[in-house]
Amino acid sequence: MKALQASIAYSFPISSPAASPRRFSRVIRAQADPSDKSMEVMRKFSEQFCRKSDTYFCVDKSVTAVVIKGLADHRDTLGAPLCPCRHYDDKEAEAKQGFWNCPCVPMRERKECHCMLFLTPDNDFAGKEQTITLDEIREVTSNM
Amino acid sequence: MASAASVALISYSDCCQGFQQYKGRFPIAYESPGALLFPAPSFLSLHQKNHIGCLRATRRPSVVCAIRPKTGTVTQTSWDNLVTKNESPVLVEFYASWCGPCQMVHRVINEIAVEYKGKLKCFTLNTDNDSAMAEEYDIKAVPVVLLFKNGRKHSSVIGTMPKEFYVAAIEKMLAS
C-alpha cells in the first residue's frame, strides 16, 4: 500500500514539467497550421475509422481535408480532436467532457457525422474512397 | 462594353454593401474594376475542377465573378446596421474556420448572392471570432443559414443542403 502511494506521488513531479511547455506552445500554434504529427495521427485515424464503420469520404475531398486539419488543430490546442463543425461556449470544457470528440457519440451510435467526414454509402455526398494522403490534404487546403 | 462594366460594378457594390464601410481593413483592394469582368479561361477550368461539391449540388456551375467574394462579412458590431436595420431581406451564413461542409455551403451561397442580387443581401459570420452572435441565435452545429426579413429572423437552414433547398427557403421568405 505504501509503495503504491509512493508511485502516485512521484508521478506528479514527472508530469507537470512536461505539461507547462505544452501550454506555452498552444498560443503559438493557434495562429498557424496544425502540427505534422497531429495531421498524420488524424489522417490515419480517419482512414481506419472509415474502414471500420463502413463509411466513405466526401466526393469533394477538400471537405475531408479541411475537417482533418480542424481535428488536428483541436488536438494540438485542446488535447483532443473536438469536432470542428460545431460552435462551443467553452471549447476546453467540451473537449474534456468528450461528447463531441471525434468519433463523436452520434457517429458511434447512429453513424451521423454532420461534418461529412464519414458518410454512409447512401448519402448523396459520399464518394468511393476511404483513403486520403497528406499531399492531398496539403494540396486542397493550400489556398485557405 | 461600357454598359457591361457598369452593370457588373453596380451589382457588386449592391450585394457587398457591407464592405464599403470596412474597406480599409481588408488586405485585398476591392475597388479596381478590371479583375471583376473577364475571368481567364484557365481560371474557369480551375473553378470547375476544384468544386465538385458545388457541381453536384447545382449541376450547373455559374462563374460570374469568382475572383472577388460575393458575400459580405458581418460581425457583432455591424450586425444591427447590416441585418436588423436592413430594409432588404438578408441571408446570414454562420460558419467555423475548420468546417469542411461550411466551405461547400459557402460556394452555394456565393452563387445565390449573384443570382439574387438586388433582392437579397448575403453575409457570412465566423462563429470562432464572433461567439456573441452565435450564442444569441443559438448556433450549435455549423453551417447554419439564417434568413431575415424586416429585421426579424424568418427561417433557418441547419446543415449542408443542396442548392435547391436554400433557394426554396429564400423564395418562401420573399413571397411571404
Side-chain angles (χ1 to χ4, degrees), chain B:
Chain B
M1 195 66 93
S3 68
S6 63
V7 167
L9 275 176
I10 289 164
S11 66
Y12 171 69
S13 60
D14 200 32
C15 81
C16 298
Q17 200 185 38
F19 275 122
Q20 300 307 316
Q21 59 194 101
Y22 300 101
K23 224 189 290 183
R25 290 193 205 164
F26 288 88
I28 310 157
Y30 290 101
E31 296 97 316
S32 76
L36 181 131
L37 295 171
F38 312 107
S42 62
F43 187 82
L44 277 167
S45 59
L46 186 81
H47 179 90
Q48 289 172 337
K49 198 171 70 190
N50 283 351
H51 296 77
I52 310 161
C54 163
L55 296 184
R56 266 182 82 96
T58 64
R59 290 203 187 93
R60 170 173 56 87
S62 70
V63 183
V64 181
C65 143
I67 294 170
R68 294 175 181 180
K70 293 107 195 154
T71 51
T73 317
V74 63
T75 59
Q76 192 183 356
T77 40
S78 57
W79 185 271
D80 276 355
N81 277 334
L82 297 180
V83 182
T84 7
K85 289 180 189 161
N86 205 328
E87 283 172 15
S88 159
V90 175
L91 178 155
V92 184
E93 174 206 338
F94 288 76
Y95 72 101
S97 315
W98 291 114
C99 159
C102 295
Q103 302 195 344
M104 227 154 117
V105 169
H106 187 64
R107 295 197 286 262
V108 172
I109 299 301
N110 268 349
E111 289 180 17
I112 286 175
V114 173
E115 284 160 27
Y116 280 83
K117 66 192 167 202
K119 287 188 262 177
L120 179 76
K121 301 256 158 81
C122 298
F123 298 105
T124 58
L125 184 139
N126 187 333
T127 54
D128 291 330
N129 302 337
D130 238 321
S131 356
M133 290 328 294
E135 268 141 49
E136 190 170 329
Y137 286 91
D138 206 25
I139 305 296
K140 296 287 177 221
V142 282
V144 172
V145 170
L146 297 186
L147 296 171
F148 291 83
K149 198 179 184 183
N150 302 322
R152 263 185 244 135
K153 189 177 119 181
H154 181 273
S155 51
S156 58
V157 180
I158 300 167
T160 310
M161 299 294 167
K163 187 179 175 185
E164 293 76 34
F165 199 91
Y166 295 102
V167 169
I170 292 165
E171 288 294 344
K172 205 176 153 194
M173 173 180 73
L174 294 178
S176 70

Side-chain angles (χ1 to χ4, degrees), chain A residues 32-34 58-60 62-63 66-67 69-70 73 84-89 91 114-116 123-126 144, chain B residues 50-54 56-57 96-101 103-104 107 127-128 131 134-135 139-143 160-162:
Chain A
D33 265 3
C58 183
V59 69
D60 180 352
S62 73
V63 170
V66 172
V67 174
K69 244 182 158 172
D73 181 70
C85 303
R86 291 186 67 82
H87 175 73
Y88 312 94
D89 295 347
K91 279 192 179 186
H114 79 280
C115 235
M116 294 169 55
N123 190 301
D124 281 347
F125 291 105
M144 271 184 69
Chain B
N50 283 351
H51 296 77
I52 310 161
C54 163
R56 266 182 82 96
S97 315
W98 291 114
C99 159
Q103 302 195 344
M104 227 154 117
R107 295 197 286 262
T127 54
D128 291 330
S131 356
E135 268 141 49
I139 305 296
K140 296 287 177 221
V142 282
T160 310
M161 299 294 167

Side-chain angles (χ1 to χ4, degrees), chain A residues 104-133:
Chain A
C104 65
V105 174
M107 180 64 212
R108 278 177 282 165
E109 286 182 353
R110 301 184 297 273
K111 293 197 187 180
E112 284 172 11
C113 172
H114 79 280
C115 235
M116 294 169 55
L117 180 59
F118 306 116
L119 296 168
T120 49
D122 59 320
N123 190 301
D124 281 347
F125 291 105
K128 301 234 176 295
E129 288 176 57
Q130 292 180 317
T131 55
I132 187 165
T133 62

